[in-house]
Amino acid sequence: AQRVTQPEKLLSVFKGAPVELKCNYSYSGSPELFWYVQYSRQRLQLLLRHISRESIKGFTADLNKGETSFHLKKPFAQEEDSAMYYCALTRGSTLGRLYFGRGTQLTVWP
Amino acid sequence: DGGITQSPKYLFRKEGQNVTLSCEQNLNHDAMYWYRQDPGQGLRLIYYSQIVNDFQKGDIAEGYSVSREKKESFPLTVTSAQKNPTAFYLCASSRTVWNTEAFFGQGTRLTVV
């Protein structure tokens, strides 16, 4: 069975500090991994996906198949990054439904 | 404003009553989903629909029912059989069931008293 684990429920950093939100997954096949973000009073939205290998709002995430991880990183956090972040997985070419982690609430202090 | 619209934003019902949550999309997406969001538990899939007149159970379908009579609409009924219905419900859609970028609605907070 597939599973997504976000070990940190809450994460706080100061503005300008690096931030890393952890995500580990368990799935024996070839997954697609995503990060979704929910800012205060806004709807949940896609932040980035591993197949795009892009940087969005300064965030990057690398899929490490050996460690089965997909950690989200940003070198210099900003106050507007404060939000709830969800890591999600889908089973590649099969059904497109998403399996979500429990989420990490990131707070960036000024 | 295009996208997914869920209504109402807040809903209160008495215990034992069925209640239907609305979800409409104008994105011409084939696939639609219902998730339940509880604090500390992430999003759990209730039902999904790949195409009109088709739907499948997700991980926590017990006590819920859906219909997909129109492409743009995927209403969720929370029945009296759902033991713990008070929650935040999110509707989502994607272009196809194999296109994994999901677009979410604003959510409906259901409180059963």
Side-chain angles (χ1 to χ4, degrees), chain A residues 34 36 43 86 94 96-97 102, chain B residues 37 40 59 97-98 100 102 104:
Chain A
F34 306 81
Y36 278 79
R43 61 186 68 199
Y86 291 96
T94 57
R97 59 154 294 181
R102 296 188 174 191
Chain B
Q37 188 177 28
D59 301 320
V97 75
W98 283 275
T100 49
F104 285 83

Side-chain angles (χ1 to χ4, degrees), chain B residues 50-86:
Chain B
Q50 302 180 48
I51 201 167
V52 175
N53 294 322
D54 174 79
F55 51 83
Q56 306 292 332
K57 291 182 179 179
D59 301 320
I60 55 166
E62 186 176 351
Y64 300 98
S65 66
V66 293
S67 63
R68 187 83 186 279
E69 297 176 1
K70 297 187 295 182
K71 187 175 185 178
E72 58 270 21
S73 179
F74 191 41
L76 174 74
T77 297
V78 184
T79 75
S80 57
Q82 169 49 232
K83 295 179 181 177
N84 187 18
T86 295

Side-chain angles (χ1 to χ4, degrees), chain B residues 4-110:
Chain B
I4 301 181
T5 302
Q6 289 185 243
S7 61
K9 194 172 180 180
Y10 299 97
L11 191 55
F12 294 87
R13 278 296 181 269
K14 290 184 179 179
E15 193 172 344
Q17 289 183 336
N18 291 356
V19 59
T20 298
L21 283 61
S22 170
C23 178
E24 304 276 332
Q25 54 99 358
N26 61 4
L27 301 168
N28 200 33
H29 284 173
D30 283 328
M32 297 187 74
Y33 313 83
W34 274 106
Y35 286 91
R36 173 177 169 143
Q37 188 177 28
D38 294 287
Q41 295 199 51
L43 281 73
R44 293 180 291 168
L45 184 66
I46 305 172
Y47 267 98
Y48 63 94
S49 169
Q50 302 180 48
I51 201 167
V52 175
N53 294 322
D54 174 79
F55 51 83
Q56 306 292 332
K57 291 182 179 179
D59 301 320
I60 55 166
E62 186 176 351
Y64 300 98
S65 66
V66 293
S67 63
R68 187 83 186 279
E69 297 176 1
K70 297 187 295 182
K71 187 175 185 178
E72 58 270 21
S73 179
F74 191 41
L76 174 74
T77 297
V78 184
T79 75
S80 57
Q82 169 49 232
K83 295 179 181 177
N84 187 18
T86 295
F88 191 64
Y89 291 89
L90 281 172
C91 180
S93 71
S94 60
R95 188 164 54 83
T96 68
V97 75
W98 283 275
N99 183 303
T100 49
E101 179 174 358
F103 294 82
F104 285 83
Q106 294 264 17
T108 292
R109 182 164 298 282
L110 172 65

Side-chain angles (χ1 to χ4, degrees), chain A residues 17-83:
Chain A
V19 62
E20 180 180 68
L21 291 85
K22 291 184 167 50
C23 173
N24 290 91
Y25 67 90
S26 60
Y27 178 56
S28 57
S30 296
E32 289 187 38
L33 275 296
F34 306 81
W35 278 99
Y36 278 79
V37 61
Q38 190 169 27
Y39 300 103
S40 179
R41 297 179 183 172
Q42 293 187 29
R43 61 186 68 199
L44 192 62
Q45 59 187 289
L46 177 67
L47 179 63
L48 56 79
R49 61 173 75 185
H50 89 271
I51 59 172
S52 300
R53 303 183 68 82
E54 57 193 348
S55 173
I56 303 293
K57 299 184 178 182
F59 284 98
T60 58
D62 291 318
L63 179 60
N64 186 323
K65 291 187 177 181
E67 295 183 358
T68 59
S69 67
F70 188 57
H71 304 327
L72 184 68
K73 300 177 184 179
K74 186 170 183 176
F76 307 103
Q78 303 299 314
E79 290 178 69
E80 55 265 30
D81 295 329
S82 295

